[in-house]
């Protein structure tokens, strides 16, 4: 059994070295590139793994805070589950944009607000065992009204939600996106450290 040693100030150190990649074959998969990897693990085992690479520059998930107690959610159509979902402002980072610039733009396009204060907390992954996609979690504060035209087919409904009612939000059927759930709890904990 491998031993993992964690030190908060340095992250985690894993006792295994990364597998050796003996070959990669690529296939087009729409907005993704599918890679098949021929891997050899430190114990000599050989396996083939598949992973998806996004074709873009990453994404942002924005926690827009109306005040330290209220987050702004958006309700939009989610084609994957064919229903309207509540979630956070999110979107792709365009070429030449930083995560902060993308977060401010997406916030203006989707919720009709800009932010005077933007903080990147961390990157989130969707399914790191088979996808390389990362989304930067950005907290947006000191909001002001400003709208930019976006690529949404309809204006999104903006729904204020109190952070002390997250226990109710996470049980709603129409709030199911994992990044939004994780981002709200991370942001809430971060806010608590800022208020000390």
């Amino acid at each position: 059994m491998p031993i993992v040693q964690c030190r908060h100030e340095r992250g985690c150190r894993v006792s295994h070295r990364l597998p050796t990649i003996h070959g990669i074959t690529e296939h087009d998969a729409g907005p993704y590139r599918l890679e098949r990897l021929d891997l050899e693990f430190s114990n000599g085992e050989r396996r083939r793994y598949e992973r998806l690479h996004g074709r873009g520059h990453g994404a942002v998930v924005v926690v827009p805070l109306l005040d330290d107690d209220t987050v702004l959610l958006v309700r939009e159509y989610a084609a994957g589950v064919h229903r309207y979902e509540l979630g956070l402002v999110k979107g792709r980072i365009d070429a030449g944009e930083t995560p902060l610039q993308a977060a401010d733009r997406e916030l203006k396009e989707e919720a009709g607000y800009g932010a005077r204060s933007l903080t990147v907390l961390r990157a989130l992954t969707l399914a790191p065992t088979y996808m390389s996609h990362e989304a930067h979690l950005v907290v947006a504060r000191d909001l002001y009204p400003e709208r930019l035209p976006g690529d949404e087919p309809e204006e999104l409904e903006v729904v204020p939600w109190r952070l002390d009612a997250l226990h109710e939000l996470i049980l709603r059927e129409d709030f199911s996106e994992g990044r939004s759930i994780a981002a709200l709890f991370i942001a809430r904990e971060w806010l608590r450290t800022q208020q000390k």
Side-chain angles (χ1 to χ4, degrees):
M1 173 77 71
I3 298 170
V4 178
Q5 299 174 345
C6 288
R7 293 191 176 102
H8 293 291
E9 65 275 2
R10 294 186 181 167
C12 283
R13 292 188 330 201
V14 180
S15 61
H16 293 298
R17 65 176 168 80
L18 286 173
T20 301
I21 300 174
H22 289 288
I24 299 174
T25 54
E26 296 183 4
H27 304 277
D28 186 40
Y32 297 97
R33 185 179 76 243
L34 174 65
E35 291 183 346
R36 288 192 174 94
L37 292 90
D38 177 12
L39 299 172
E40 181 178 349
F41 288 82
S42 60
N43 63 359
E45 284 290 318
R46 293 280 294 258
R47 294 284 193 280
R48 289 193 180 268
Y49 276 56
E50 292 182 343
R51 67 181 177 193
L52 291 173
H53 278 297
R55 297 190 186 277
H57 305 280
V60 291
V61 176
V62 186
V63 178
L65 295 169
L66 197 56
D67 54 50
D68 285 349
D69 301 314
T70 311
V71 64
L72 296 179
L73 304 174
V74 291
R75 181 176 282 120
E76 66 180 316
Y77 175 69
V81 291
H82 188 57
R83 66 176 179 233
Y84 281 87
E85 277 271 317
L86 276 173
L88 292 171
V89 167
K90 55 193 159 301
R92 285 184 238 148
I93 299 172
D94 290 340
E97 277 186 325
T98 67
L100 294 177
Q101 291 167 331
D104 196 45
R105 175 184 51 75
E106 288 289 345
L107 183 57
K108 291 173 183 175
E109 291 175 1
E110 294 189 5
Y113 285 91
R116 292 182 187 90
S117 172
L118 294 156
T119 305
V120 176
L121 296 188
R122 60 163 300 148
L124 300 171
T125 59
L126 288 172
T129 54
Y130 66 90
M131 287 185 77
S132 65
H133 179 77
E134 285 189 340
H136 299 274
L137 167 54
V138 179
V139 174
R141 299 169 90 180
D142 197 7
L143 304 183
Y144 60 91
E146 184 177 338
R147 182 165 295 281
L148 288 176
D151 58 1
E152 289 75 22
E154 58 188 2
E155 190 171 317
L156 305 185
E157 180 185 356
V158 178
V159 179
W161 197 277
R162 295 203 35 92
L163 289 174
D164 62 7
L166 284 187
H167 62 286
E168 296 172 12
L169 181 63
I170 63 171
L171 295 177
R172 289 178 59 114
E173 188 176 319
D174 64 345
F175 184 76
S176 67
E177 203 246 340
R179 290 178 302 174
S180 290
I181 294 169
L184 285 175
F185 281 99
I186 293 167
R188 186 179 71 177
E189 292 308 305
W190 176 79
L191 276 171
R192 287 177 178 164
T193 66
Q194 301 300 300
Q195 294 166 352
K196 288 182 181 179

